Amino acid sequence: MRVARIRAGGSESYGIVSGEGIATMGEIRSRTGIPVPPSVTEFLFGGWAEEVAAHAGELEHALGLSECEPLPPIPSPPKIICAAFNYGSHARGRDTASSPARPVIVMKPATALAGARSEIACPSFVRELDYETELAVVIGRRTRSVSREGAASSIFGYMVMNDVSARDIQFGDGQFTRAKGFDTFAPCGPWITTREEAGEPARMRITTRVNGEARQDALAGEMTLSPEALVSELSRSMTLEAGDIISTGTPGGTVLDIGGAYLRDGDVIESSVSGLGTLRNRVRFTG
């Protein structure tokens, strides 16, 4: 099942995506009789999603996705945790010679979230803006000190995230938080695909195109710490909560890796993870 949060006709809603259509909460209520809540967070993590999934065949997905504005699937995640150096192809030549055996993380604020077609609004004082397409995990339940074997049951689903980074700020500050925490520096979505539907993460292909030019192309299976390993290791340090987002790191192919020009005003970034969808975000330098 794929769950999207959208704006259509001036109103915010959520629904179940199938093909090029979506069954909004209004359609779900009228066709199934299930009184789904107005909150997408409650729908996702309060047991409603599982109940609706059993009635998926009754839905028509009457609203076209092209008629909607995709919003960040989780409006106010308790935490956004981004793994650093989790691919050897991106770690080499950085602050570490290879991917570490334990998570190295950066926290993004919820105000960094942006939709799958939103603009990335970058302040004009940033000189070196970079992309990082990543597979993101959405936690489905409160989790503390879970084993790697048991971690999968704590994962509700997956989505795409672009961990946008201001490299000049990153290296000027000597740490990553401000460089990755600007408003709109975390486009995500376009929906959450449940773990059961998504399949094996290791087989997912991560790609980035900038103005149509291929930049990143790797299998998620190349990451050092798998999604389950990240969930397990992080849960030993902090309690994970339903709605937490864990972005699992980016492979090589960023501007920092390959050189060349950093992102410019008007550039379009297409961030894809096979089976999960594509983000298409235009860069706008502001102020």
Side-chain angles (χ1 to χ4, degrees), residues 143-152 228-229 231-233 235-236:
T143 300
R144 175 68 180 169
S145 296
V146 71
S147 68
R148 293 193 182 194
E149 293 73 24
E228 294 82 6
V231 169
S232 176
E233 292 293 335
S235 76
R236 297 170 63 189

Side-chain angles (χ1 to χ4, degrees), residues 15-284:
I16 310 303
V17 174
S18 179
E20 296 302 313
I22 182 169
T24 63
M25 60 182 179
E27 182 187 334
I28 293 169
R29 289 170 179 166
S30 64
R31 290 196 168 273
T32 68
I34 300 172
V36 293
S39 165
V40 67
T41 302
E42 186 179 350
F43 174 80
L44 290 168
F45 310 120
W48 297 96
E50 290 84 352
E51 185 174 354
V52 170
H55 295 266
E58 301 170 33
L59 302 174
E60 289 191 351
H61 310 93
L63 182 65
L65 288 174
S66 61
E67 303 172 62
C68 308
E69 175 192 355
L71 302 174
I74 307 289
S76 299
K79 294 184 285 296
I80 303 173
I81 305 168
C82 298
F85 310 127
N86 200 26
Y87 288 78
S89 56
H90 184 62
R92 286 189 290 272
R94 298 291 161 304
D95 298 335
T96 181
S98 60
S99 298
R102 294 287 182 265
V104 176
I105 64 170
V106 182
M107 306 287 280
K108 279 186 183 259
T111 48
L113 292 176
R117 297 201 300 265
S118 299
E119 288 188 346
I120 297 168
C122 182
S124 59
F125 61 79
V126 171
R127 302 300 181 190
E128 297 179 350
L129 188 68
D130 208 351
Y131 51 83
E132 293 188 7
T133 299
E134 306 189 355
L135 166 66
V137 170
V138 177
I139 297 297
R141 66 182 187 184
R142 191 175 177 87
T143 300
R144 175 68 180 169
S145 296
V146 71
S147 68
R148 293 193 182 194
E149 293 73 24
S153 63
S154 293
I155 297 173
F156 178 85
Y158 303 95
M159 63 179 178
V160 188
M161 179 173 281
N162 183 354
D163 179 17
V164 181
S165 304
R167 301 300 188 195
D168 51 332
I169 306 297
Q170 174 180 324
F171 293 110
D173 287 358
Q175 52 85 24
F176 296 3
T177 301
R178 187 164 71 102
K180 293 173 174 282
F182 288 88
D183 291 355
T184 72
F185 273 27
C188 62
W191 42 71
I192 298 170
T193 302
T194 56
R195 176 168 54 89
E196 293 78 10
E197 180 166 329
E200 176 53 50
R203 298 181 181 179
M204 297 177 186
R205 184 166 292 279
I206 297 169
T207 59
T208 305
R209 303 182 75 85
V210 177
N211 301 328
E213 177 188 347
R215 297 289 184 88
Q216 291 182 289
D217 188 350
L219 288 174
E222 296 172 28
M223 68 177 71
T224 299
L225 294 172
S226 68
E228 294 82 6
L230 284 169
V231 169
S232 176
E233 292 293 335
L234 290 170
S235 76
R236 297 170 63 189
S237 303
M238 63 186 78
T239 299
L240 301 176
E241 301 168 278
D244 279 351
I245 298 169
I246 302 173
S247 205
T248 58
T250 200
T254 67
V255 178
L256 185 63
D257 300 318
I258 62 178
Y262 282 96
L263 295 168
R264 301 184 177 96
D265 185 74
D267 284 350
V268 175
I269 310 164
E270 294 175 284
S271 301
S272 300
V273 178
S274 58
L276 303 185
T278 298
L279 316 178
R280 190 178 189 277
N281 304 103
R282 187 179 298 275
V283 174
R284 286 299 182 200

